[in-house]
Amino acid sequence: MTRPKATHPMPQSQQDAPLIVEGPLSDNERLKRESDYLRGTIAEDLRDQITGGFGPDNFQLIRFHGMYQQDDRDLRSERSQQKLEPLINVMLRARMPGGVITPEQWLVVEDWAQQHTMYGSVRLTTRQTFQYHGVLKPDIKDTHQAINAAGIDSIATAGDVNRNVLCSSNPLESALHAEVYDWAARISEHLLPRTRAYMEIFLDGEKAKSTEEPILGSTYLPRKFKTTVSLPPNNEVDVHANDLNFVGIVEDGELVGWNVLVGGGLAMTHGDTATYPRKADDLGFVPLEHTLAVAEHVVTVQRDWGNRTDRKNAKTKYTLDRVGTDVFKAEVERRAGVTFEPSRPYEFTSRGDRFGWVKGHDGNWHLTVFILNGRIKDRPEAPIKTGLRRIAEVHQGHFRLTAHQNLIIAGVPPRQKRVIDRLAREHGLVDDTTTPQMRSSMACVSFPTCPLAMAESERFLPGFVRQVEGLLDKHGIPEDHIVLRVSGCPNGCSRAMLAEVGLVGKGPGKYNLHLGGNRIGTRVPKLYRENISAEAILDELDHLIGSWVSGREEGEGFGDFLIRTGVVAEVIVSRTDFHA
């Protein structure tokens, strides 16, 4: 293959970089190649009731169908003493481009969680969808069939494929947001696997021989791939956390095209300096008619050039850093038959969800409600699960899940606004005492279900945030906030590596403390203290918040203050700066 000519000089270290990494392939490449287009022997494993789990290859292959094998880690020791295998189950994640779900679908989803999962709850995720935790093997097929009957599937929500496509959901300009959602759905469908394996295995569909995957290839992608469609000025989908991002450019009130950002990603590995979080690079502007072609060929270039020998360095961000962004861009242009125009101006001025009621352009209303950790369950002080059921039974619009684990009750006719508001308040979905700090904090699931968890996250967050609220109150700024995120491991599900304060689990009760991100999500924070307790983190924050309050410039966020005053160095080029 001939290297395309770069449009700008590359760093010397990249000029001779191979387009394809040579060497022994990772074992995941073998199992994909031998899987018969993702079928494997999953159907046989489902019939094996001796164990609650799947064989080694199927353990990986079920991810392509939206499932992760897990167990309840709180019960491991007890079950081991009883000479029982761990309480194996699966987490099942839905495909829901843009997070849109109807009230009728919501009732099916919620009913099934209550009756057929170990925990009886639904969790809204940072990927703008929902997932079930605790689906036991005998219920797996029935779960797929139940949600499919409601028009939902879990195809390609995990594994080495393009996953659930995120899009801007806050309906500030409803007409444009509807258009953005439409593009998210179209991109999702265009990049889906073509294999019929999901339908055959879980829906008892007619068997059909799969012979090609024109976009994803016979061994699919080297690693997971994430895509967003966003509409400035709100960076609510955290574009820099994703492989491919279409940032909407609006001129004279019309969506005319996109600035295409490629190569973002936040996962890393403790102790491995060859891994790091990275912001996405802006390749330039393309008009709307080239959207699907560009999406397809960003994927195919990563498919062909991504590292298949080392999964820790297989994401798009590492491909760009190895071959050079300009080389990657030129190959996308060649394959798509498109020339990127210079990037058009846009600005992110905010991030996160706008809570409360917003009136849409069509006269209907939208209510955004805060969901603590995205967990839909009844609590004594806030029976939100029951409340959402009551709302779904009467709601005439739809729901939108957000990329910050919250929910929008959307399209409420004016005549229904009062009853929806009353139901939301009666069940704790609207709580005027929820602080800006709590609304600006986010956690991944972590214990007890995630097998990768090193430290608590979801269960840790509420108490920790209350302590941070105490610090803000102590220093006289109770209504201010810091973008705070906690991850139980360095894989980044809560997007802690785009926070002003990011905690990354290192071990039981211990976290790495990263500081210096910003409020709009366009800067990666840097390691400040390693492997410390929550108490030590609070001591550090107490001192730093005091300095921020006394020394900040007007409107200056916590992370910006820390960078300006030299508390931490700014991460500009992750490959060289992050571990420096």
Side-chain angles (χ1 to χ4, degrees), residues 175-194:
L176 289 175
H177 280 79
E179 192 172 359
V180 165
Y181 166 72
D182 180 65
W183 278 109
R186 291 175 65 181
I187 292 167
S188 175
E189 291 296 325
H190 189 67
L191 299 179
L192 277 182
R194 299 293 187 261

Side-chain angles (χ1 to χ4, degrees), residues 341-361:
E341 300 175 26
S343 296
R344 299 196 183 180
Y346 71 93
E347 183 181 15
F348 287 128
T349 59
S350 62
R351 173 169 52 160
D353 297 326
R354 175 176 171 174
F355 295 95
W357 286 101
V358 175
K359 190 174 185 179
H361 79 294

Side-chain angles (χ1 to χ4, degrees), residues 100-221:
V100 173
I101 183 171
T102 68
E104 294 78 15
Q105 289 173 323
W106 181 266
L107 291 172
V108 171
V109 167
E110 192 273 327
D111 276 345
W112 194 266
Q114 180 63 40
Q115 299 170 22
H116 299 282
T117 70
M118 291 165 48
Y119 305 103
S121 64
V122 176
R123 195 179 197 275
L124 311 187
T125 82
T126 58
R127 296 302 303 172
Q128 212 169 19
T129 184
F130 72 86
Q131 57 193 35
Y132 291 135
H133 290 266
V135 180
L136 297 171
K137 185 189 264 188
D139 290 320
I140 288 175
K141 279 188 68 171
D142 288 342
T143 302
H144 283 287
Q145 292 177 3
I147 65 172
N148 184 262
I152 301 170
D153 62 57
S154 68
I155 300 170
T157 56
D160 300 345
V161 288
N162 180 65
R163 299 190 177 185
N164 195 54
V165 177
L166 275 60
C167 83
S168 295
S169 57
N170 280 317
L172 303 182
E173 303 170 73
S174 297
L176 289 175
H177 280 79
E179 192 172 359
V180 165
Y181 166 72
D182 180 65
W183 278 109
R186 291 175 65 181
I187 292 167
S188 175
E189 291 296 325
H190 189 67
L191 299 179
L192 277 182
R194 299 293 187 261
T195 175
R196 298 276 303 169
Y198 179 86
M199 282 67 78
E200 293 173 15
I201 297 168
F202 301 106
L203 307 181
D204 296 326
E206 183 178 349
K207 290 181 170 52
K209 180 65 175 176
S210 299
T211 57
E212 62 177 8
E213 287 280 9
I215 298 176
L216 298 174
S218 60
T219 53
Y220 298 86
L221 301 183

Side-chain angles (χ1 to χ4, degrees), residues 202-428:
F202 301 106
L203 307 181
D204 296 326
E206 183 178 349
K207 290 181 170 52
K209 180 65 175 176
S210 299
T211 57
E212 62 177 8
E213 287 280 9
I215 298 176
L216 298 174
S218 60
T219 53
Y220 298 86
L221 301 183
R223 203 69 167 85
K224 61 186 176 182
F225 192 96
K226 299 178 180 179
T227 301
T228 73
V229 185
S230 65
L231 193 62
N234 192 347
N235 183 22
E236 59 198 279
V237 297
D238 271 328
V239 296
H240 290 291
N242 301 280
D243 299 80
L244 172 60
N245 307 271
F246 291 91
V247 178
I249 302 299
V250 178
E251 297 177 355
D252 297 325
E254 293 187 6
L255 181 67
V256 296
W258 322 94
N259 279 6
V260 180
L261 276 60
V262 175
L266 305 183
M268 56 184 172
T269 301
H270 286 317
D272 185 350
T273 58
T275 67
Y276 44 82
R278 184 190 192 277
K279 290 170 52 180
D281 293 341
D282 193 332
L283 301 189
F285 173 85
V286 295
L288 292 178
E289 60 264 28
H290 297 314
T291 305
L292 297 183
V294 169
E296 175 176 333
H297 290 296
V298 170
V299 169
T300 67
V301 175
Q302 166 60 6
R303 177 196 70 194
D304 297 340
W305 290 4
N307 188 340
R308 292 183 184 265
T309 70
D310 181 0
R311 287 181 64 78
K312 292 181 180 179
N313 282 95
K315 287 274 286 175
T316 312
K317 59 182 176 179
Y318 300 118
T319 305
L320 264 65
D321 281 346
R322 188 183 78 248
V323 307
T325 298
D326 290 324
V327 172
F328 192 101
K329 171 183 173 180
E331 182 67 3
V332 173
E333 290 179 319
R334 186 186 71 80
R335 296 187 186 195
V338 172
T339 299
F340 287 100
E341 300 175 26
S343 296
R344 299 196 183 180
Y346 71 93
E347 183 181 15
F348 287 128
T349 59
S350 62
R351 173 169 52 160
D353 297 326
R354 175 176 171 174
F355 295 95
W357 286 101
V358 175
K359 190 174 185 179
H361 79 294
D362 58 359
N364 288 330
W365 290 85
H366 314 277
L367 174 63
T368 302
V369 298
F370 173 72
I371 307 293
L372 179 63
N373 286 322
R375 184 69 68 176
I376 305 294
K377 65 178 181 180
D378 285 343
R379 303 189 304 275
E381 74 283 7
I384 64 170
K385 182 179 176 183
T386 298
L388 285 173
R389 162 165 283 281
R390 298 288 180 266
I391 290 170
E393 288 171 345
V394 300
H395 181 32
Q396 296 175 11
H398 61 279
F399 296 116
R400 284 176 178 254
L401 315 186
T402 82
H404 288 81
Q405 304 171 324
N406 298 311
L407 185 141
I408 303 173
I409 305 166
V412 178
R415 65 181 180 280
Q416 263 205 318
K417 182 171 180 277
R418 181 175 295 179
V419 68
I420 296 295
D421 188 76
R422 176 179 58 79
L423 288 169
R425 289 183 178 278
E426 286 177 352
H427 294 87

Side-chain angles (χ1 to χ4, degrees), residues 28 31-43 57-58 60-66 155-156 158-161 192-198 200-202 210 213 216-221:
N28 285 68
L31 72 89
K32 286 183 287 186
R33 185 179 66 250
E34 297 175 357
S35 72
D36 187 18
Y37 292 91
L38 307 181
R39 292 171 176 83
T41 54
I42 296 172
D57 281 5
N58 294 331
Q60 296 286 340
L61 286 176
I62 61 172
R63 298 181 180 185
F64 289 83
H65 306 296
I155 300 170
D160 300 345
V161 288
L192 277 182
R194 299 293 187 261
T195 175
R196 298 276 303 169
Y198 179 86
E200 293 173 15
I201 297 168
F202 301 106
S210 299
E213 287 280 9
L216 298 174
S218 60
T219 53
Y220 298 86
L221 301 183

